PDB file of all heavy atoms in Angstrom:
ATOM      1  N   ARG S  13       0.817  -1.221  -0.005  1.00 96.00           N
ATOM      2  CA  ARG S  13       0.006  -0.006   0.012  1.00 96.00           C
ATOM      3  C   ARG S  13       0.830   1.285   0.005  1.00 96.00           C
ATOM      4  O   ARG S  13       0.351   2.359  -0.337  1.00 96.00           O
ATOM      5  CB  ARG S  13      -0.925   0.034   1.225  1.00 96.00           C
ATOM      6  CG  ARG S  13      -0.217   0.176   2.528  1.00 96.00           C
ATOM      7  CD  ARG S  13      -1.175   0.148   3.719  1.00 96.00           C
ATOM      8  NE  ARG S  13      -0.500   0.399   4.968  1.00 96.00           N
ATOM      9  CZ  ARG S  13       0.131  -0.501   5.671  1.00 96.00           C
ATOM     10  NH1 ARG S  13       0.197  -1.755   5.215  1.00 96.00           N
ATOM     11  NH2 ARG S  13       0.745  -0.206   6.806  1.00 96.00           N
ATOM     12  N   THR S  14       2.127   1.150   0.356  1.00 95.00           N
ATOM     13  CA  THR S  14       2.978   2.348   0.405  1.00 95.00           C
ATOM     14  C   THR S  14       3.762   2.583  -0.869  1.00 95.00           C
ATOM     15  O   THR S  14       4.524   3.574  -0.986  1.00 95.00           O
ATOM     16  CB  THR S  14       3.985   2.252   1.571  1.00 95.00           C
ATOM     17  OG1 THR S  14       4.932   1.188   1.337  1.00 95.00           O
ATOM     18  CG2 THR S  14       3.274   1.993   2.892  1.00 95.00           C
ATOM     19  N   TYR S  15       3.604   1.701  -1.854  1.00 96.00           N
ATOM     20  CA  TYR S  15       4.385   1.786  -3.086  1.00 96.00           C
ATOM     21  C   TYR S  15       3.544   2.340  -4.237  1.00 96.00           C
ATOM     22  O   TYR S  15       2.377   1.980  -4.404  1.00 96.00           O
ATOM     23  CB  TYR S  15       4.896   0.409  -3.489  1.00 96.00           C
ATOM     24  CG  TYR S  15       6.118  -0.038  -2.733  1.00 96.00           C
ATOM     25  CD1 TYR S  15       6.111  -0.234  -1.358  1.00 96.00           C
ATOM     26  CD2 TYR S  15       7.324  -0.265  -3.429  1.00 96.00           C
ATOM     27  CE1 TYR S  15       7.243  -0.623  -0.676  1.00 96.00           C
ATOM     28  CE2 TYR S  15       8.456  -0.658  -2.743  1.00 96.00           C
ATOM     29  CZ  TYR S  15       8.419  -0.847  -1.378  1.00 96.00           C
ATOM     30  OH  TYR S  15       9.534  -1.240  -0.713  1.00 96.00           O
ATOM     31  N   ALA S  16       4.178   3.169  -5.057  1.00 97.00           N
ATOM     32  CA  ALA S  16       3.609   3.496  -6.352  1.00 97.00           C
ATOM     33  C   ALA S  16       3.730   2.272  -7.251  1.00 97.00           C
ATOM     34  O   ALA S  16       4.768   1.599  -7.235  1.00 97.00           O
ATOM     35  CB  ALA S  16       4.321   4.697  -6.981  1.00 97.00           C
ATOM     36  N   MET S  17       2.712   2.035  -8.060  1.00 98.00           N
ATOM     37  CA  MET S  17       2.695   0.858  -8.930  1.00 98.00           C
ATOM     38  C   MET S  17       2.616   1.344 -10.368  1.00 98.00           C
ATOM     39  O   MET S  17       1.889   2.309 -10.692  1.00 98.00           O
ATOM     40  CB  MET S  17       1.539  -0.038  -8.622  1.00 98.00           C
ATOM     41  CG  MET S  17       1.531  -0.579  -7.183  1.00 98.00           C
ATOM     42  SD  MET S  17       2.977  -1.607  -6.810  1.00 98.00           S
ATOM     43  CE  MET S  17       2.767  -2.956  -7.956  1.00 98.00           C
ATOM     44  N   ARG S  18       3.321   0.676 -11.241  1.00 98.00           N
ATOM     45  CA  ARG S  18       3.335   1.036 -12.655  1.00 98.00           C
ATOM     46  C   ARG S  18       3.221  -0.186 -13.528  1.00 98.00           C
ATOM     47  O   ARG S  18       3.626  -1.274 -13.141  1.00 98.00           O
ATOM     48  CB  ARG S  18       4.641   1.780 -12.999  1.00 98.00           C
ATOM     49  CG  ARG S  18       4.758   3.131 -12.335  1.00 98.00           C
ATOM     50  CD  ARG S  18       6.116   3.763 -12.551  1.00 98.00           C
ATOM     51  NE  ARG S  18       6.176   5.139 -12.076  1.00 98.00           N
ATOM     52  CZ  ARG S  18       6.439   5.467 -10.811  1.00 98.00           C
ATOM     53  NH1 ARG S  18       6.689   4.533  -9.932  1.00 98.00           N
ATOM     54  NH2 ARG S  18       6.471   6.759 -10.473  1.00 98.00           N
ATOM     55  N   TRP S  19       2.677   0.036 -14.702  1.00 98.00           N
ATOM     56  CA  TRP S  19       2.735  -0.960 -15.775  1.00 98.00           C
ATOM     57  C   TRP S  19       3.599  -0.410 -16.889  1.00 98.00           C
ATOM     58  O   TRP S  19       3.446   0.754 -17.306  1.00 98.00           O
ATOM     59  CB  TRP S  19       1.316  -1.248 -16.314  1.00 98.00           C
ATOM     60  CG  TRP S  19       0.472  -2.079 -15.420  1.00 98.00           C
ATOM     61  CD1 TRP S  19      -0.486  -1.654 -14.520  1.00 98.00           C
ATOM     62  CD2 TRP S  19       0.458  -3.505 -15.341  1.00 98.00           C
ATOM     63  NE1 TRP S  19      -1.056  -2.692 -13.890  1.00 98.00           N
ATOM     64  CE2 TRP S  19      -0.491  -3.853 -14.374  1.00 98.00           C
ATOM     65  CE3 TRP S  19       1.171  -4.531 -15.979  1.00 98.00           C
ATOM     66  CZ2 TRP S  19      -0.773  -5.204 -14.035  1.00 98.00           C
ATOM     67  CZ3 TRP S  19       0.905  -5.831 -15.653  1.00 98.00           C
ATOM     68  CH2 TRP S  19      -0.043  -6.162 -14.697  1.00 98.00           C
ATOM     69  N   TYR S  20       4.472  -1.252 -17.369  1.00 98.00           N
ATOM     70  CA  TYR S  20       5.313  -0.968 -18.512  1.00 98.00           C
ATOM     71  C   TYR S  20       5.002  -2.037 -19.571  1.00 98.00           C
ATOM     72  O   TYR S  20       4.435  -3.064 -19.288  1.00 98.00           O
ATOM     73  CB  TYR S  20       6.796  -1.055 -18.153  1.00 98.00           C
ATOM     74  CG  TYR S  20       7.338   0.068 -17.332  1.00 98.00           C
ATOM     75  CD1 TYR S  20       7.104   0.114 -15.936  1.00 98.00           C
ATOM     76  CD2 TYR S  20       8.123   1.066 -17.883  1.00 98.00           C
ATOM     77  CE1 TYR S  20       7.600   1.148 -15.164  1.00 98.00           C
ATOM     78  CE2 TYR S  20       8.643   2.102 -17.109  1.00 98.00           C
ATOM     79  CZ  TYR S  20       8.384   2.116 -15.769  1.00 98.00           C
ATOM     80  OH  TYR S  20       8.903   3.141 -14.989  1.00 98.00           O
ATOM     81  N   ARG S  21       5.456  -1.743 -20.809  1.00 98.00           N
ATOM     82  CA  ARG S  21       5.396  -2.784 -21.834  1.00 98.00           C
ATOM     83  C   ARG S  21       6.603  -2.686 -22.716  1.00 98.00           C
ATOM     84  O   ARG S  21       7.216  -1.644 -22.867  1.00 98.00           O
ATOM     85  CB  ARG S  21       4.112  -2.658 -22.665  1.00 98.00           C
ATOM     86  CG  ARG S  21       4.064  -1.442 -23.549  1.00 98.00           C
ATOM     87  CD  ARG S  21       2.681  -1.328 -24.201  1.00 98.00           C
ATOM     88  NE  ARG S  21       2.599  -0.179 -25.129  1.00 98.00           N
ATOM     89  CZ  ARG S  21       1.475   0.238 -25.671  1.00 98.00           C
ATOM     90  NH1 ARG S  21       0.305  -0.398 -25.428  1.00 98.00           N
ATOM     91  NH2 ARG S  21       1.495   1.259 -26.508  1.00 98.00           N
ATOM     92  N   GLN S  22       6.938  -3.808 -23.312  1.00 98.00           N
ATOM     93  CA  GLN S  22       8.071  -3.874 -24.227  1.00 98.00           C
ATOM     94  C   GLN S  22       7.707  -4.734 -25.440  1.00 98.00           C
ATOM     95  O   GLN S  22       7.464  -5.929 -25.287  1.00 98.00           O
ATOM     96  CB  GLN S  22       9.309  -4.448 -23.536  1.00 98.00           C
ATOM     97  CG  GLN S  22      10.560  -4.348 -24.396  1.00 98.00           C
ATOM     98  CD  GLN S  22      11.844  -4.603 -23.627  1.00 98.00           C
ATOM     99  OE1 GLN S  22      11.836  -5.158 -22.540  1.00 98.00           O
ATOM    100  NE2 GLN S  22      12.946  -4.152 -24.169  1.00 98.00           N
ATOM    101  N   ALA S  23       7.626  -4.071 -26.565  1.00 96.00           N
ATOM    102  CA  ALA S  23       7.331  -4.751 -27.813  1.00 96.00           C
ATOM    103  C   ALA S  23       8.612  -5.305 -28.421  1.00 96.00           C
ATOM    104  O   ALA S  23       9.700  -4.827 -28.109  1.00 96.00           O
ATOM    105  CB  ALA S  23       6.681  -3.763 -28.793  1.00 96.00           C
ATOM    106  N   PRO S  24       8.510  -6.291 -29.286  1.00 91.00           N
ATOM    107  CA  PRO S  24       9.696  -6.888 -29.895  1.00 91.00           C
ATOM    108  C   PRO S  24      10.541  -5.842 -30.601  1.00 91.00           C
ATOM    109  O   PRO S  24      10.027  -5.065 -31.419  1.00 91.00           O
ATOM    110  CB  PRO S  24       9.119  -7.907 -30.886  1.00 91.00           C
ATOM    111  CG  PRO S  24       7.776  -8.249 -30.338  1.00 91.00           C
ATOM    112  CD  PRO S  24       7.274  -6.976 -29.690  1.00 91.00           C
ATOM    113  N   GLY S  25      11.807  -5.801 -30.277  1.00 94.00           N
ATOM    114  CA  GLY S  25      12.742  -4.908 -30.904  1.00 94.00           C
ATOM    115  C   GLY S  25      12.635  -3.462 -30.461  1.00 94.00           C
ATOM    116  O   GLY S  25      13.285  -2.596 -31.041  1.00 94.00           O
ATOM    117  N   LYS S  26      11.834  -3.193 -29.437  1.00 96.00           N
ATOM    118  CA  LYS S  26      11.660  -1.827 -28.962  1.00 96.00           C
ATOM    119  C   LYS S  26      12.050  -1.719 -27.488  1.00 96.00           C
ATOM    120  O   LYS S  26      12.140  -2.712 -26.781  1.00 96.00           O
ATOM    121  CB  LYS S  26      10.208  -1.369 -29.159  1.00 96.00           C
ATOM    122  CG  LYS S  26       9.804  -1.266 -30.608  1.00 96.00           C
ATOM    123  CD  LYS S  26       8.441  -0.675 -30.754  1.00 96.00           C
ATOM    124  CE  LYS S  26       8.056  -0.482 -32.207  1.00 96.00           C
ATOM    125  NZ  LYS S  26       6.706   0.155 -32.358  1.00 96.00           N
ATOM    126  N   GLU S  27      12.249  -0.478 -27.042  1.00 97.00           N
ATOM    127  CA  GLU S  27      12.552  -0.229 -25.657  1.00 97.00           C
ATOM    128  C   GLU S  27      11.306  -0.363 -24.785  1.00 97.00           C
ATOM    129  O   GLU S  27      10.183  -0.189 -25.260  1.00 97.00           O
ATOM    130  CB  GLU S  27      13.160   1.164 -25.496  1.00 97.00           C
ATOM    131  CG  GLU S  27      14.517   1.317 -26.146  1.00 97.00           C
ATOM    132  CD  GLU S  27      15.146   2.677 -25.827  1.00 97.00           C
ATOM    133  OE1 GLU S  27      14.505   3.504 -25.196  1.00 97.00           O
ATOM    134  OE2 GLU S  27      16.320   2.857 -26.206  1.00 97.00           O
ATOM    135  N   ARG S  28      11.549  -0.654 -23.525  1.00 97.00           N
ATOM    136  CA  ARG S  28      10.442  -0.720 -22.580  1.00 97.00           C
ATOM    137  C   ARG S  28       9.847   0.677 -22.385  1.00 97.00           C
ATOM    138  O   ARG S  28      10.609   1.653 -22.279  1.00 97.00           O
ATOM    139  CB  ARG S  28      10.946  -1.266 -21.254  1.00 97.00           C
ATOM    140  CG  ARG S  28       9.860  -1.646 -20.276  1.00 97.00           C
ATOM    141  CD  ARG S  28      10.439  -2.365 -19.041  1.00 97.00           C
ATOM    142  NE  ARG S  28      11.020  -3.646 -19.413  1.00 97.00           N
ATOM    143  CZ  ARG S  28      11.446  -4.541 -18.522  1.00 97.00           C
ATOM    144  NH1 ARG S  28      11.336  -4.298 -17.221  1.00 97.00           N
ATOM    145  NH2 ARG S  28      12.003  -5.665 -18.941  1.00 97.00           N
ATOM    146  N   GLU S  29       8.523   0.783 -22.383  1.00 97.00           N
ATOM    147  CA  GLU S  29       7.880   2.068 -22.232  1.00 97.00           C
ATOM    148  C   GLU S  29       6.884   2.050 -21.091  1.00 97.00           C
ATOM    149  O   GLU S  29       6.252   1.025 -20.801  1.00 97.00           O
ATOM    150  CB  GLU S  29       7.199   2.505 -23.511  1.00 97.00           C
ATOM    151  CG  GLU S  29       6.056   1.635 -23.937  1.00 97.00           C
ATOM    152  CD  GLU S  29       5.245   2.222 -25.138  1.00 97.00           C
ATOM    153  OE1 GLU S  29       5.320   3.443 -25.362  1.00 97.00           O
ATOM    154  OE2 GLU S  29       4.567   1.409 -25.790  1.00 97.00           O
ATOM    155  N   LEU S  30       6.723   3.200 -20.434  1.00 98.00           N
ATOM    156  CA  LEU S  30       5.777   3.336 -19.333  1.00 98.00           C
ATOM    157  C   LEU S  30       4.369   3.422 -19.906  1.00 98.00           C
ATOM    158  O   LEU S  30       4.085   4.187 -20.812  1.00 98.00           O
ATOM    159  CB  LEU S  30       6.109   4.568 -18.515  1.00 98.00           C
ATOM    160  CG  LEU S  30       5.167   4.925 -17.364  1.00 98.00           C
ATOM    161  CD1 LEU S  30       5.171   3.807 -16.314  1.00 98.00           C
ATOM    162  CD2 LEU S  30       5.586   6.250 -16.740  1.00 98.00           C
ATOM    163  N   VAL S  31       3.455   2.636 -19.309  1.00 98.00           N
ATOM    164  CA  VAL S  31       2.064   2.643 -19.763  1.00 98.00           C
ATOM    165  C   VAL S  31       1.189   3.458 -18.822  1.00 98.00           C
ATOM    166  O   VAL S  31       0.463   4.349 -19.239  1.00 98.00           O
ATOM    167  CB  VAL S  31       1.526   1.193 -19.825  1.00 98.00           C
ATOM    168  CG1 VAL S  31       0.055   1.161 -20.098  1.00 98.00           C
ATOM    169  CG2 VAL S  31       2.310   0.389 -20.872  1.00 98.00           C
ATOM    170  N   ALA S  32       1.285   3.163 -17.514  1.00 98.00           N
ATOM    171  CA  ALA S  32       0.407   3.797 -16.548  1.00 98.00           C
ATOM    172  C   ALA S  32       1.009   3.736 -15.157  1.00 98.00           C
ATOM    173  O   ALA S  32       1.762   2.821 -14.852  1.00 98.00           O
ATOM    174  CB  ALA S  32      -0.973   3.177 -16.562  1.00 98.00           C
ATOM    175  N   THR S  33       0.640   4.701 -14.338  1.00 98.00           N
ATOM    176  CA  THR S  33       1.117   4.802 -12.955  1.00 98.00           C
ATOM    177  C   THR S  33      -0.075   5.023 -12.005  1.00 98.00           C
ATOM    178  O   THR S  33      -1.015   5.768 -12.356  1.00 98.00           O
ATOM    179  CB  THR S  33       2.079   5.987 -12.810  1.00 98.00           C
ATOM    180  OG1 THR S  33       3.192   5.820 -13.665  1.00 98.00           O
ATOM    181  CG2 THR S  33       2.550   6.116 -11.372  1.00 98.00           C
ATOM    182  N   ILE S  34       0.010   4.394 -10.834  1.00 98.00           N
ATOM    183  CA  ILE S  34      -0.944   4.721  -9.764  1.00 98.00           C
ATOM    184  C   ILE S  34      -0.124   4.901  -8.498  1.00 98.00           C
ATOM    185  O   ILE S  34       0.683   4.020  -8.144  1.00 98.00           O
ATOM    186  CB  ILE S  34      -2.049   3.668  -9.610  1.00 98.00           C
ATOM    187  CG1 ILE S  34      -3.066   4.143  -8.568  1.00 98.00           C
ATOM    188  CG2 ILE S  34      -1.522   2.292  -9.319  1.00 98.00           C
ATOM    189  CD1 ILE S  34      -4.378   3.343  -8.606  1.00 98.00           C
ATOM    190  N   THR S  35      -0.281   6.038  -7.861  1.00 97.00           N
ATOM    191  CA  THR S  35       0.518   6.318  -6.636  1.00 97.00           C
ATOM    192  C   THR S  35      -0.072   5.589  -5.432  1.00 97.00           C
ATOM    193  O   THR S  35      -1.146   5.001  -5.496  1.00 97.00           O
ATOM    194  CB  THR S  35       0.532   7.828  -6.352  1.00 97.00           C
ATOM    195  OG1 THR S  35      -0.785   8.237  -6.000  1.00 97.00           O
ATOM    196  CG2 THR S  35       1.023   8.622  -7.579  1.00 97.00           C
ATOM    197  N   ALA S  36       0.667   5.657  -4.359  1.00 95.00           N
ATOM    198  CA  ALA S  36       0.179   5.055  -3.116  1.00 95.00           C
ATOM    199  C   ALA S  36      -1.161   5.693  -2.695  1.00 95.00           C
ATOM    200  O   ALA S  36      -2.009   5.035  -2.116  1.00 95.00           O
ATOM    201  CB  ALA S  36       1.215   5.191  -1.995  1.00 95.00           C
ATOM    202  N   GLY S  37      -1.337   6.955  -2.985  1.00 95.00           N
ATOM    203  CA  GLY S  37      -2.558   7.657  -2.661  1.00 95.00           C
ATOM    204  C   GLY S  37      -3.683   7.466  -3.653  1.00 95.00           C
ATOM    205  O   GLY S  37      -4.801   7.952  -3.433  1.00 95.00           O
ATOM    206  N   GLY S  38      -3.392   6.763  -4.785  1.00 96.00           N
ATOM    207  CA  GLY S  38      -4.453   6.462  -5.740  1.00 96.00           C
ATOM    208  C   GLY S  38      -4.510   7.379  -6.967  1.00 96.00           C
ATOM    209  O   GLY S  38      -5.370   7.201  -7.813  1.00 96.00           O
ATOM    210  N   SER S  39      -3.594   8.344  -7.068  1.00 98.00           N
ATOM    211  CA  SER S  39      -3.570   9.209  -8.253  1.00 98.00           C
ATOM    212  C   SER S  39      -3.045   8.402  -9.429  1.00 98.00           C
ATOM    213  O   SER S  39      -2.149   7.583  -9.283  1.00 98.00           O
ATOM    214  CB  SER S  39      -2.683  10.419  -8.009  1.00 98.00           C
ATOM    215  OG  SER S  39      -3.209  11.204  -6.972  1.00 98.00           O
ATOM    216  N   THR S  40      -3.592   8.681 -10.627  1.00 98.00           N
ATOM    217  CA  THR S  40      -3.217   7.922 -11.806  1.00 98.00           C
ATOM    218  C   THR S  40      -2.662   8.822 -12.887  1.00 98.00           C
ATOM    219  O   THR S  40      -2.968  10.018 -12.951  1.00 98.00           O
ATOM    220  CB  THR S  40      -4.414   7.147 -12.359  1.00 98.00           C
ATOM    221  OG1 THR S  40      -5.450   8.083 -12.690  1.00 98.00           O
ATOM    222  CG2 THR S  40      -4.938   6.163 -11.337  1.00 98.00           C
ATOM    223  N   ASN S  41      -1.837   8.234 -13.733  1.00 97.00           N
ATOM    224  CA  ASN S  41      -1.296   8.926 -14.886  1.00 97.00           C
ATOM    225  C   ASN S  41      -1.068   7.919 -15.987  1.00 97.00           C
ATOM    226  O   ASN S  41      -0.754   6.754 -15.728  1.00 97.00           O
ATOM    227  CB  ASN S  41       0.011   9.628 -14.513  1.00 97.00           C
ATOM    228  CG  ASN S  41       0.424  10.656 -15.518  1.00 97.00           C
ATOM    229  OD1 ASN S  41      -0.418  11.274 -16.174  1.00 97.00           O
ATOM    230  ND2 ASN S  41       1.720  10.877 -15.694  1.00 97.00           N
ATOM    231  N   TYR S  42      -1.217   8.383 -17.238  1.00 97.00           N
ATOM    232  CA  TYR S  42      -1.113   7.500 -18.393  1.00 97.00           C
ATOM    233  C   TYR S  42      -0.257   8.110 -19.493  1.00 97.00           C
ATOM    234  O   TYR S  42      -0.216   9.330 -19.659  1.00 97.00           O
ATOM    235  CB  TYR S  42      -2.512   7.227 -18.992  1.00 97.00           C
ATOM    236  CG  TYR S  42      -3.480   6.625 -18.013  1.00 97.00           C
ATOM    237  CD1 TYR S  42      -4.301   7.418 -17.207  1.00 97.00           C
ATOM    238  CD2 TYR S  42      -3.584   5.239 -17.883  1.00 97.00           C
ATOM    239  CE1 TYR S  42      -5.165   6.852 -16.281  1.00 97.00           C
ATOM    240  CE2 TYR S  42      -4.458   4.664 -16.986  1.00 97.00           C
ATOM    241  CZ  TYR S  42      -5.242   5.496 -16.173  1.00 97.00           C
ATOM    242  OH  TYR S  42      -6.109   4.923 -15.269  1.00 97.00           O
ATOM    243  N   ALA S  43       0.365   7.228 -20.245  1.00 94.00           N
ATOM    244  CA  ALA S  43       1.016   7.686 -21.478  1.00 94.00           C
ATOM    245  C   ALA S  43      -0.070   8.206 -22.410  1.00 94.00           C
ATOM    246  O   ALA S  43      -1.212   7.722 -22.371  1.00 94.00           O
ATOM    247  CB  ALA S  43       1.776   6.549 -22.118  1.00 94.00           C
TER     248      ALA S  43
END
């Protein structure tokens, strides 16, 4: 519950990219 959580993705042959973030407080952000 104290950690910010994120989803990333990595397509074949590409760099890993940030998809979405949710903070410990529940705030969200998206690519």
Side-chain angles (χ1 to χ4, degrees):
R13 68 182 185 278
T14 67
Y15 280 63
M17 301 298 298
R18 293 173 173 86
W19 285 97
Y20 288 78
R21 69 186 183 189
Q22 188 166 18
K26 295 188 177 181
E27 294 187 354
R28 192 172 296 188
E29 64 172 338
L30 178 62
V31 172
T33 301
I34 185 165
T35 67
S39 297
T40 59
N41 196 29
Y42 301 90

